[in-house]
Amino acid sequence: MTTVKDIYNYIDNAAPFATQVEWDNAGLLVGSADDTVTKAVMALDVTKGVASLAAEIGAELIISHHPIIFNPVKRLQKGSALYTCAQNGISVISAHTNFDRAPQGINTNLCARLSLKNVRPVEDTFIVIGELEQEMNTRDFARFVGETLEVSGLRYTDSSKRIKTVAVGGGACDEYLPQAMQLADCFVTGEVKYHIMLEAAEKDYCIISAGHYETESESFLMLRDQISKAFPD
């Protein structure tokens, strides 16, 4: 019989919650570690729709990337995702920055989606480096990223560089542009602020802003196969 604690411990072993950054709130955020789990829902965010789905199908657990509780809760509003989880006895485990930086976490999975080889982490950052099988020009690589991640529209700087080595940081990682450009020909991330995109263009850096959801959602959900195998019941 699988419990919430069993699944928490499994995730903790793969992506230790102790490695989350100090501003984060990853971990078991709703419910009891002792509750039995026969069905779980995985999602990037615990939205009202996700919480309602979990309640509808009788799931005892939601596993999310972004924490359901990030800032202090001053009011528990009826109909909110948090209220629905509490009302229906649904536990929530959120694996956020600990999973971003895990060896088989968000960024490693994103590299796999982009078919990058020789993947390696960059020390003291949330980014990893990988290599394309064959180099591309900027436009072809941007098109490849958009098609592969199913991005409806992305922004990129049209650098003169040929792209072979790629830095990857799912979600919001644009602060690591300087480190990325020291080690790679292009930086793929989710969100890029306007002034950082402008700076990259002026320095002939290739940076691709492919969307927070698009870079993280499926990269997080790749964890589901591992959990299903570990807990077949």
Side-chain angles (χ1 to χ4, degrees):
M1 186 164 30
T2 299
T3 65
V4 171
K5 184 177 181 180
D6 292 330
I7 297 176
Y8 175 93
N9 288 342
Y10 179 86
I11 296 173
D12 189 47
N13 184 63
F17 288 98
T19 64
Q20 67 180 288
V21 297
E22 61 180 22
W23 49 258
D24 199 8
N25 192 37
L28 175 58
L29 305 184
V30 180
S32 170
D34 297 326
D35 285 352
T36 299
V37 180
T38 62
K39 191 177 295 184
V41 169
M42 286 191 68
L44 189 68
D45 301 278
V46 187
T47 62
K48 290 192 290 185
V50 168
S52 296
L53 172 65
E56 180 183 333
I57 66 175
E60 301 92 351
L61 175 66
I62 296 173
I63 304 168
S64 74
H65 181 49
H66 297 137
I68 186 173
I69 302 173
F70 200 78
N71 298 312
V73 177
K74 297 183 178 180
R75 177 171 177 256
L76 188 57
Q77 185 174 0
K78 185 175 182 179
S80 67
L82 186 57
Y83 185 97
T84 299
C85 289
Q87 184 183 41
N88 291 277
I90 300 169
S91 297
V92 178
I93 297 172
S94 298
H96 191 209
T97 53
N98 59 307
F99 193 69
D100 282 329
R101 66 201 328 173
Q104 298 300 320
I106 287 284
N107 293 328
T108 305
N109 290 344
L110 182 54
C111 284
R113 294 171 65 196
L114 294 173
S115 302
L116 300 179
K117 311 297 182 185
N118 302 321
V119 176
R120 54 198 184 276
V122 178
E123 188 176 357
D124 297 327
T125 76
F126 282 94
I127 63 175
V128 297
I129 304 293
E131 298 175 3
L132 290 168
E133 197 72 46
Q134 294 183 331
E135 68 175 30
M136 303 182 190
N137 63 42
T138 302
R139 292 187 179 186
D140 286 345
F141 183 58
R143 184 179 296 110
F144 167 75
V145 171
E147 292 174 351
T148 302
L149 304 185
E150 298 181 358
V151 182
S152 58
L154 55 70
R155 296 185 303 147
Y156 71 97
T157 54
D158 193 11
S159 169
S160 62
K161 292 183 178 180
R162 299 284 296 179
I163 311 303
K164 176 67 173 179
T165 305
V166 181
V168 166
C173 285
D174 61 4
E175 65 193 271
Y176 298 116
L177 176 65
Q179 294 96 322
M181 290 297 92
Q182 287 179 2
L183 301 167
D185 304 314
C186 183
F187 184 25
V188 178
T189 187
E191 298 178 24
V192 181
K193 299 180 185 69
Y194 175 80
H195 73 276
I196 292 181
M197 183 71 80
L198 183 61
E199 174 190 349
E202 291 185 339
K203 292 183 177 180
D204 198 35
Y205 291 163
C206 175
I207 186 168
I208 297 177
S209 176
H212 200 126
Y213 176 87
E214 290 82 357
T215 55
E216 286 197 329
S217 183
E218 191 58 37
S219 303
F220 177 67
L221 294 180
M222 290 168 75
L223 177 62
R224 107 191 110 195
D225 291 339
Q226 301 168 37
I227 291 178
S228 295
K229 290 178 182 178
F231 304 99
D233 60 336

